[in-house]
Amino acid sequence: MTTEQLWQPSADTIADANMTHFLQQVNSDHDQALANYHDLYQWSLDNTETFWSMIWDYFHVIGDKGDTLVKDKDKLPGAQWFPEARLNFAENLLRHRDDKVALVFRGENGARRQLSYSDLYLQVARFAEALKQRGVSKGDRVAAMMPNTIETIVAMLATASLGAIWSSCSPDFGVQGVLDRFGQVEPKVLLTVDGYFYNGKNLNIKDKTADILAQLPSVEQLVLVNFSDQSDRLDDPKVIAYERFIDNDAGDVDFVVSEFNHPLYIMFSSGTTGVPKCIVHGAGGTLLQHLKEHGLHTDLAAEDTLFYFTTCGWMMWNWLVSGLAHGATLVLFDGSPFAPQPEFLWDVADEENISVFGTSAKYLAALEKAGVKPRESHQLESLRSILTTGSVLPPESFDYVYRDIKKDVCLSSISGGTDIISCFALGCPILPVYRGELQCRGLGLAVNVYNEDGQPVSGEKGELVCENSFPCMPVGFWNDDDGKRYFNAYFARFNNTWAHGDFAELTEHDGVIIYGRSDAVLNPGGVRIGTAEIYRQVEKVDAVLESIAVGQQYEDDERVILFVKLRDGITLDDELRQQIKKTIRANATPRHVPAIILQVRDIPRTISGKIVELAVRNVIHGEPVKNTDALANPEALDEFRDRPELS
């Protein structure tokens, strides 16, 4: 099936792109005649050691690369990239120390603060000195329950400068959700706030913080940031105000140099099927991958202003922060993207001259449903790229962006995850954008799609895999000494191959279409259907705000059940049911048409905003949901339980 081309980079854009300059350097240094991105991608797979070594050199990584580029390259897991290398992650992000603006914070309540690169370096030096004074050293853990604000980045960089390990979540996590994460990694220092803002409310978290502190005996010091001016403060001898904590005379950062795979971040899986997995990412692999994705795939430079709508509980926060390595200005936002009005983030885009605007597919869909048309109300003169992830971006949202936001913009849907702290498929500034497609597979990553027999296929749906090792593979899982949990998570299905858990397809343009998570794939009559295939049709119906589809075991088969959240004041009736079914049948296949459609007031989501098909599937089958603390709105599950229509 041929898909429509929506955008084509100009000749000047292609000529000026970092990707083009990198390609030309490959041609020059290695006597190649690569003509385009597809040639470069294949070269990066055929010459993986040379490719990653070039990434190190091209972006001037501060550190010692060593002579050995990789050991056991073809062993998954088990490959060791740059085993002799020594570096410090924070030193590479703090290489710029001038008066250029590094960070701009914008809050939904109108707050605005900024910090230059020189002041950022000074604050990191003082925070790092304070950590050292409290006995924090290489390998210790520092955790944060923080909004996406300046102090969070300062603390992360200070932690990384010491060779300590950083882990974070957002302040809207519940007590058990925080304990399930930080209880496993046992942080020595915890950073948090007095409260936070969301959707017009100033939310005090004193009681929650006290409960968490009481149940985290590893915490020796809690650093409290005055973020929302709550007068009701926590009274505990372990608590110290942020300003007092960093009140020292440190002027320089003493960067602790560590091995390439030294743990940098502990990230967490969503945790909806049990206690979250603690995924450990190394400093070197994270740095190289983010330099590649920012510098080449996003074309980021020091002149850019990079924004991503994210919380500190989502890997896109870690991805955003790495933009400092390129000297770009980062815009941090915390709060509801629809407060005080739906256009607010586009106000910020104009006011801060944002050139790369990152967000979620859910946000764009909600904007369109709200009738927001930034093209008619905003200048967006600096905007050249829009990135989206978190869930599948349907073709209709591609139409919305080019129709109602900006015509001349590179819309890059990107996909990967916490598992690799980056992307398997993403954007490319020198390639066109096709409706509904991710532009390309990431350089250096042998991404493929396998059928159920483990054979590579193109133009067919199957399992997204990666057939080669790469530097940003996790170091492992925390407290998984024999590596069994790590192996079973990614390598048990296909021999010597990373199975990512996405249901996907490679297109005729060598792009990628993601249809949803493999474990949520529907299977009526033995036909595998990605849930995104249904959602994109349902969202065409104006009365529907959101939907979630699951399979129910029924009469020795599986039937598709669709739950819909409707606009205020609308009730699901037979006429609307038929409209939904007709829309799905006309644009997909009869197999996609749900057997039953039911109305709910809300759709359950993780705290990072992803809908949870597996939790809903468990509920309608009378099975327990093991970890509701991972959900932003666990009460929403009650509407799915014991529905007489499903008996």
Side-chain angles (χ1 to χ4, degrees):
M1 181 180 69
T2 301
T3 51
E4 179 186 358
Q5 181 178 301
L6 299 178
W7 179 81
Q8 169 69 42
S10 68
D12 287 345
T13 296
I14 294 173
D16 292 340
N18 294 333
M19 187 73 80
T20 300
H21 298 160
F22 184 79
L23 183 153
Q24 291 168 345
Q25 186 159 328
V26 171
N27 284 341
S28 173
D29 292 355
H30 302 286
D31 194 25
Q32 297 292 308
L34 309 179
N36 52 40
Y37 178 80
H38 306 297
D39 289 349
L40 179 61
Y41 174 71
Q42 188 58 52
W43 179 87
S44 75
L45 302 188
D46 296 337
N47 305 272
T48 49
E49 299 103 315
T50 304
F51 167 73
W52 288 111
S53 180
M54 277 196 70
I55 292 294
W56 181 298
D57 296 337
Y58 188 80
F59 292 111
H60 307 292
V61 170
I62 300 170
D64 180 1
K65 185 166 57 174
D67 297 325
T68 303
L69 300 180
V70 64
K71 287 183 178 179
D72 299 322
K73 182 186 72 169
D74 299 324
K75 191 176 179 183
L76 281 80
Q80 298 177 59
W81 284 91
F82 301 97
E84 300 166 3
R86 298 294 182 268
L87 76 160
N88 183 278
F89 181 84
E91 185 175 14
N92 279 276
L93 268 61
L94 291 169
R95 66 176 70 195
H96 306 279
R97 299 171 193 174
D98 54 19
D99 291 332
K100 182 179 184 291
V101 175
L103 305 173
V104 175
F105 169 75
R106 298 292 301 261
E108 71 162 48
N109 63 332
R112 185 188 187 279
R113 292 188 292 141
Q114 69 180 45
L115 200 67
S116 69
Y117 270 94
S118 57
D119 287 340
L120 173 61
Y121 179 83
L122 181 60
Q123 284 213 23
V124 171
R126 290 175 175 173
F127 202 102
E129 176 62 27
L131 289 175
K132 281 194 287 187
Q133 291 174 3
R134 271 73 175 182
V136 174
S137 60
K138 184 176 180 180
D140 286 334
R141 276 78 63 205
V142 174
M145 184 174 70
M146 285 289 291
N148 180 17
T149 190
I150 289 172
E151 289 84 0
T152 318
I153 292 180
V154 169
M156 184 281 285
L157 291 170
T159 300
S161 76
L162 298 175
I165 308 170
W166 173 265
S167 197
S168 63
C169 69
S170 51
D172 54 346
F173 273 62
V175 172
Q176 194 58 49
V178 175
L179 294 174
D180 284 347
R181 288 158 175 78
F182 297 162
Q184 295 187 71
V185 304
E186 301 177 303
K188 185 176 282 189
V189 174
L190 178 64
L191 181 76
T192 191
V193 286
D194 53 341
Y196 66 98
F197 299 92
Y198 194 82
N199 204 23
K201 297 178 181 178
N202 187 343
L203 300 161
N204 188 310
I205 62 169
K206 172 193 169 186
D207 292 341
K208 177 166 67 176
T209 302
D211 286 348
I212 291 166
L213 187 58
Q215 298 178 70
L216 273 182
S218 66
V219 174
E220 299 173 7
Q221 183 88 80
L222 187 145
V223 182
L224 187 66
V225 177
N226 178 17
F227 184 74
S228 63
D229 290 324
Q230 297 279 359
S231 58
D232 189 19
R233 296 300 179 88
L234 193 62
D235 183 19
D236 189 289
K238 291 183 178 180
V239 176
I240 185 172
Y242 179 89
E243 292 79 9
R244 281 188 57 208
F245 185 72
I246 65 168
D247 185 13
N248 59 63
D249 297 327
D252 290 305
V253 183
D254 183 15
F255 296 105
V256 175
V257 174
S258 302
E259 61 273 21
F260 187 82
N261 263 346
H262 178 70
L264 167 72
Y265 294 134
I266 298 176
M267 311 290 290
F268 303 99
S269 64
S270 60
T272 54
T273 57
V275 176
K277 296 189 292 287
C278 301
I279 304 169
V280 183
H281 285 292
T286 301
L287 178 65
L288 286 190
Q289 179 75 338
H290 287 182
L291 286 171
K292 180 199 80 174
E293 292 190 342
H294 285 138
L296 300 183
H297 287 278
T298 313
D299 204 32
L300 193 69
E303 299 76 30
D304 281 306
T305 300
L306 171 64
F307 165 79
Y308 217 103
F309 170 52
T310 180
T311 71
C312 299
W314 190 22
M315 61 138 290
M316 293 313 301
W317 180 84
N318 307 73
W319 190 92
L320 168 67
V321 175
S322 292
L324 293 170
H326 294 277
T329 296
L330 308 187
V331 174
L332 316 174
F333 170 78
D334 198 80
S336 167
F338 276 70
Q341 66 274 338
E343 299 86 358
F344 182 67
L345 291 186
W346 301 102
D347 296 343
V348 173
D350 268 350
E351 292 162 9
E352 306 297 345
N353 296 311
I354 290 171
S355 50
V356 180
F357 184 103
T359 186
S360 65
K362 174 191 172 187
Y363 170 75
L364 291 177
L367 271 186
E368 183 177 14
K369 288 283 185 179
V372 177
K373 299 180 179 181
R375 181 178 60 83
E376 298 178 357
S377 53
H378 293 73
Q379 299 297 316
L380 305 180
E381 291 179 357
S382 300
L383 184 66
R384 61 171 176 80
S385 183
I386 295 176
L387 313 178
T388 104
T389 191
S391 58
V392 177
L393 186 69
E396 291 73 20
S397 289
F398 280 74
D399 299 337
Y400 168 68
V401 167
Y402 285 105
R403 182 184 66 243
D404 293 330
I405 297 181
K406 190 170 184 178
K407 187 175 182 180
D408 184 19
V409 69
C410 182
L411 173 59
S412 297
S413 178
I414 64 179
S415 181
T418 301
D419 317 78
I420 61 167
I421 203 166
S422 58
C423 308
F424 278 124
L426 69 173
C428 179
I430 64 174
L431 287 177
V433 173
Y434 291 95
R435 187 175 184 262
E437 294 186 19
L438 288 72
Q439 286 174 283
C440 64
R441 295 173 281 179
L443 291 172
L445 305 176
V447 177
N448 217 329
V449 172
Y450 282 3
N451 62 20
E452 293 190 45
D453 296 325
Q455 299 300 311
V457 293
S458 183
E460 296 179 26
K461 298 167 189 171
E463 300 290 332
L464 187 78
V465 301
C466 188
E467 298 173 314
N468 68 344
S469 66
F470 47 95
C472 68
M473 291 171 67
V475 175
F477 290 171
W478 194 255
N479 292 331
D480 180 31
D481 295 337
D482 61 5
K484 284 185 178 178
R485 293 176 64 211
Y486 177 47
F487 180 87
N488 289 335
Y490 309 113
F491 307 103
R493 178 154 189 196
F494 302 114
N495 182 47
N496 218 45
T497 298
W498 175 293
H500 193 55
D502 278 344
F503 195 49
E505 177 184 346
L506 297 180
T507 73
E508 60 181 323
H509 313 109
D510 209 28
V512 180
I513 299 174
I514 307 290
Y515 293 100
R517 293 294 294 169
S518 300
D519 54 14
V521 164
L522 307 169
N523 199 24
V527 178
R528 302 184 81 201
I529 295 171
T531 52
E533 299 175 70
I534 294 177
Y535 300 150
R536 63 168 291 206
Q537 306 307 331
V538 177
E539 288 175 6
K540 293 177 179 177
V541 179
D542 187 62
V544 179
L545 288 176
E546 291 183 290
S547 62
I548 189 168
V550 297
Q552 183 194 26
Q553 297 304 313
Y554 185 74
E555 295 182 351
D556 298 323
D557 195 0
E558 182 175 277
R559 62 179 180 178
V560 178
I561 312 298
L562 179 69
F563 298 92
V564 293
K565 176 183 176 181
L566 304 178
R567 291 184 183 274
D568 289 344
I570 297 179
T571 301
L572 183 66
D573 55 20
D574 287 341
E575 182 179 352
L576 182 52
R577 282 191 180 91
Q578 289 307 311
Q579 182 187 356
I580 293 170
K581 288 185 176 184
K582 184 178 179 181
T583 301
I584 295 171
R585 183 178 288 108
N587 295 288
T589 75
R591 289 282 189 192
H592 290 74
V593 177
I596 297 175
I597 305 176
L598 300 172
Q599 184 174 358
V600 290
R601 286 189 295 271
D602 202 5
I603 304 292
R605 293 182 175 274
T606 64
I607 293 171
S608 61
K610 297 180 181 180
I611 63 174
V612 284
E613 290 108 335
L614 289 184
V616 170
R617 191 180 190 282
N618 285 352
V619 166
I620 70 169
H621 285 97
E623 299 170 0
V625 178
K626 295 180 180 178
N627 192 0
T628 56
D629 291 290
L631 302 181
N633 53 344
E635 68 283 352
L637 287 174
D638 294 339
E639 282 199 78
F640 298 82
R641 190 172 283 113
D642 301 324
R643 296 289 296 246
E645 305 95 332
L646 302 181
S647 60

